Amino acid sequence: MRLKVISRSTDEFTRERSQDLQRVFRNFDPNLRPQEKAVEYVRALNAAKLEKIFARPFVGAMDGHIDAVSCMSKNPNQLKGIFSGSMDGDVRLWDLATRRTVCQFPGHQGAVRGLTVSTDGRILVSCGTDCTVRLWKVPVATLMESDDGSDHSSQPLAVHVWKNAFWGVDHQWDGDLFATAGAQVDIWNHNRSQPVNSFAWGNDTVTSVRFNPGEPNLLATSASDRSISIYDLRLSTPARKVIMRTKTNAIAWNPMEPMNFTAANDDGKCYSYDVRKLNKAKCVHKDHVSSVMDIDYSPTGREFVTGSYDRSVRIFQYNGGHSREMYHTKRMQRVFCVKFSCDASYIISGSDDTNLRLWKAKASEQLGVILPRERKKLEYLEAVKNRYKHLAEVKRIVRHRHLPKPIYKATKQMREMTESERRKEEKRKAHSAPGSIQNKTLRMQRVVTEVE
């Protein structure tokens, strides 16, 4: 005679501590839950609504500058330190945790146009319209921990006077060189008072420069002649150049895919390029209604943030055509610089109203310590929402953004203009000889020519 006996290990159902919850055993057979999809859809709908209810992206403002904030830089060795420079020559180091000034770097007589920090996080390089490059010693970590509330000032380690104004600076990701942008591209060493190398391609002003995170000797620049140029320090001549229809204000390399970079353009769009194929953009990111002034990638390489002349900050997926988030306040004016924090949790924006603003990268994210059960719950709701994001009701709630009236009207006007141009092109093609007019995609339309 055979007997079927239910047997289970004591370890599976015995609580380790008296405060632990009783373990619940579940049977995941789909036949036992015929309404599973309907229940999950309602959960996804509720999760999308709750995300909007709890969306509080603004953390706080850092007030201290007395003129417009023109540039910012992160310290690769400090998670909560951020440097900012203003149009009156003031350079400050901020503590993001307390939102207070830690140190000031006085000396510039004009607008500070570029800030960058060395690879080891010990030297700050600043440059501006007063034709000087200044090297500063970054305060040690103990100063960052000080809570005495007093401002500390620092003296420059070196001051290099040059013959032209500077519009940007960037440091190698791995090395001792840094590059300045102005009438030409100059390559400097920390220990030299003169540039060790100079590059020029044309007579127009270079407005921004960025080193490649994967190849230390490769850098990209944008100039006032609407060009984007690629330089290699191992060559005596520039490598490649692409000329667009409108000017590029800033460039950011993808830290996880160093062959790709994104350009912030004057036409309100951002263009992602593969450096190996510059005749066509990989992706066009559009939502801004005015010039995009600055751009910065997240350390994960999956997102980037942009600041625009239309007084808004937007977050894009690296391969998404439209922004996933848009931040604005009534008091925020034209945004000149934006940065992702080193842990990709926060965004810092500097604007024309002399303030730095701290935002959450995820608007509805809970600040503080999250318990493991809470985290699992949030991850489950996010997974359910992604599973049903293609359905109309969920998509409508997730995509909805409250836009300021000027941006809403400008977006509507740009949509009408784009539709009018499309109809005009269709009529021109219909009344022309077959094959005489070739359609160009948006990714190719903005490129005028490529020079090698």
Side-chain angles (χ1 to χ4, degrees), residues 79-303:
L79 190 62
K80 60 177 185 174
I82 187 83
F83 296 92
S84 66
S86 66
M87 300 295 282
D88 64 341
D90 186 20
V91 180
R92 291 172 180 250
L93 169 60
W94 299 86
D95 187 353
L96 294 180
T98 60
R99 301 201 293 275
R100 290 189 303 182
T101 301
V102 172
C103 185
Q104 286 184 265
F105 305 90
H108 280 284
Q109 301 300 316
V112 181
R113 286 294 183 178
L115 289 174
T116 187
V117 184
S118 62
T119 311
D120 56 8
R122 296 180 180 178
I123 295 178
L124 168 70
V125 182
S126 65
C127 66
T129 55
D130 58 353
C131 307
T132 61
V133 176
R134 295 174 184 265
L135 276 64
W136 315 81
K137 183 179 179 182
V138 177
V140 294
T142 54
L143 185 59
M144 296 286 291
E145 305 295 335
S146 65
D147 292 325
D148 56 357
S150 61
D151 289 349
H152 303 267
S153 296
S154 179
Q155 295 301 319
L157 296 173
V159 179
H160 306 320
V161 182
W162 199 231
K163 51 193 174 184
N164 300 308
F166 296 103
W167 290 88
V169 64
D170 193 43
H171 202 283
Q172 273 185 323
W173 288 61
D174 185 16
D176 294 328
L177 301 178
F178 63 91
T180 57
Q184 59 188 4
V185 179
D186 297 314
I187 311 300
W188 303 73
N189 193 305
H190 291 175
N191 304 317
R192 303 282 290 274
S193 60
Q194 299 284 331
V196 297
N197 203 352
S198 295
F199 295 98
W201 198 341
N203 298 321
D204 292 273
T205 303
V206 181
T207 55
S208 68
V209 57
R210 285 291 179 271
F211 272 99
N212 188 290
E215 176 52 64
N217 294 309
L218 198 67
L219 57 92
T221 65
S222 64
S224 57
D225 62 348
R226 315 188 311 275
S227 67
I228 299 174
S229 305
I230 307 296
Y231 295 90
D232 194 333
L233 302 185
R234 296 164 294 189
L235 301 176
S236 58
T237 58
R240 304 178 73 184
K241 179 163 80 168
V242 59
I243 299 176
M244 302 185 67
R245 294 191 182 276
T246 45
K247 185 167 70 79
T248 297
N249 294 314
I251 292 174
W253 294 90
N254 189 330
M256 293 292 109
E257 298 175 355
M259 74 290 293
N260 298 330
F261 68 89
T262 304
N265 208 269
D266 250 356
D267 62 355
K269 300 180 180 65
C270 296
Y271 300 89
S272 292
Y273 288 95
D274 189 328
V275 73
R276 300 164 295 187
K277 192 176 182 182
L278 292 174
N279 62 342
K280 181 173 68 173
K282 288 188 66 177
C283 186
V284 180
H285 316 272
K286 48 189 177 182
D287 265 345
H288 283 295
V289 296
S290 189
S291 299
V292 185
M293 302 304 295
D294 197 15
I295 181 172
D296 187 49
Y297 260 95
S298 164
T300 61
R302 312 301 292 178
E303 292 179 338

Side-chain angles (χ1 to χ4, degrees), residues 3 33 57 69 103 152-153 182 204 295 312 364 379 405 412:
L3 295 175
R33 292 183 298 279
V69 181
C103 185
H152 303 267
S153 296
D204 292 273
I295 181 172
S312 69
S364 59
E379 290 173 354
K405 189 175 288 185
K412 185 178 179 181

Side-chain angles (χ1 to χ4, degrees), residues 23 52 135 142 160 167 172 178-179 187 271 315 333 343 391 396 400 404 413 425:
R23 185 174 179 184
K52 295 298 175 187
L135 276 64
T142 54
H160 306 320
W167 290 88
Q172 273 185 323
F178 63 91
I187 311 300
Y271 300 89
I315 304 173
Q333 298 301 312
D343 60 352
L391 297 181
R396 182 185 66 82
H400 175 72
Q413 186 180 13
E425 284 298 320

Side-chain angles (χ1 to χ4, degrees), residues 44-59:
L45 205 59
N46 291 336
K49 293 176 182 177
L50 287 172
E51 186 182 36
K52 295 298 175 187
I53 292 172
F54 292 115
R56 298 289 185 272
F58 182 66
V59 178

Side-chain angles (χ1 to χ4, degrees), residues 58-67 69 72 80-84 92-102 339 346-351 353-359:
F58 182 66
V59 178
M62 293 176 281
D63 188 13
H65 286 292
I66 58 174
D67 208 338
V69 181
M72 289 192 299
K80 60 177 185 174
I82 187 83
F83 296 92
S84 66
R92 291 172 180 250
L93 169 60
W94 299 86
D95 187 353
L96 294 180
T98 60
R99 301 201 293 275
R100 290 189 303 182
T101 301
V102 172
K339 289 291 178 188
Y346 298 96
I347 289 166
I348 305 99
S349 67
S351 57
D353 58 357
T354 74
N355 273 351
L356 275 77
R357 287 179 171 82
L358 188 63
W359 312 82

Side-chain angles (χ1 to χ4, degrees), residues 28 30 33-48 377 379-391 394:
F28 293 101
R33 292 183 298 279
Q35 296 294 322
E36 182 182 14
K37 287 189 176 180
V39 171
E40 280 197 339
Y41 170 73
V42 173
R43 287 176 181 169
L45 205 59
N46 291 336
K377 174 71 172 177
E379 290 173 354
Y380 169 71
L381 292 179
E382 189 68 25
V384 169
K385 198 170 58 180
N386 286 333
R387 182 177 182 182
Y388 293 94
K389 64 182 179 182
H390 61 282
L391 297 181
V394 178

